[in-house]
Amino acid sequence: MAQAKKPAGGKDNFTRNLVIAVVVGVALIMLVPTLLSNSTDKNAAIPASVSVEDGYGIIFNEELTDAPFVEIYEDFQCPACGSFEAINGDYVEELITEKKAKVAFHMLSFLGPDSQRAANAAACSADQGKFLQFHKTLYSNMPTENSGSWSNQYLATLGLGLGITDPAYTDCVNSNQYSGWVQNVAAEGAKRNINSTPTVLVNGVEIDRNSAYGDPAAFKAAVEG
């Protein structure tokens, strides 16, 4: 008896379909973290002076409407952020104290657990009206990246050194009270395609990092026009 012929390309079709299924599966696996990273928790606790409308940034001079809006995306463990703070930090504080600009600090946590704990502690310090002092002090005492030096105990003690005596600060640090806020800042940054730190925007336009970040005069000109 003659054998029935197998459909042409049956094995090839099976192989091709298997490959397509694997590729689609991998694509979905890669897509899930992206979708998650862009989602925000509307019920997350947020610290004082945070503006949800401005990407969950810690805002200074929010009432200003006819001044530049400076947004700083940074990670406390980022060496380049430490350099930026050393070069331009005093000027940024001047913008705030002299009400020359509305300023938003977006504390990212790209670099691991130390970054996450530091961002949470910074939010806790904002509740105590000590964010700028905390910000400056932490950058002045940067350890080796991912060394584990920024434990909750260290960050709580740092607050005491800044004159924060309210037990609520220590409780906030130890409980990671604003971990949801930290994630929301990251999600909002991802939506704006912020993929490196520091990143500085003025009125929504990114400043050229190559020409301005390391040159105080150029940075001032970029901010004030």
Side-chain angles (χ1 to χ4, degrees), residues 80 83 97 135 156:
S83 296
T97 58
H135 182 272

Side-chain angles (χ1 to χ4, degrees), residues 60-68 95-96 98-102:
F60 291 87
N61 299 335
E62 186 174 14
E63 74 282 1
L64 298 182
T65 58
D66 58 349
L95 291 174
I96 294 169
E98 297 187 10
K99 295 191 176 297
K100 293 180 178 179
K102 174 183 172 182

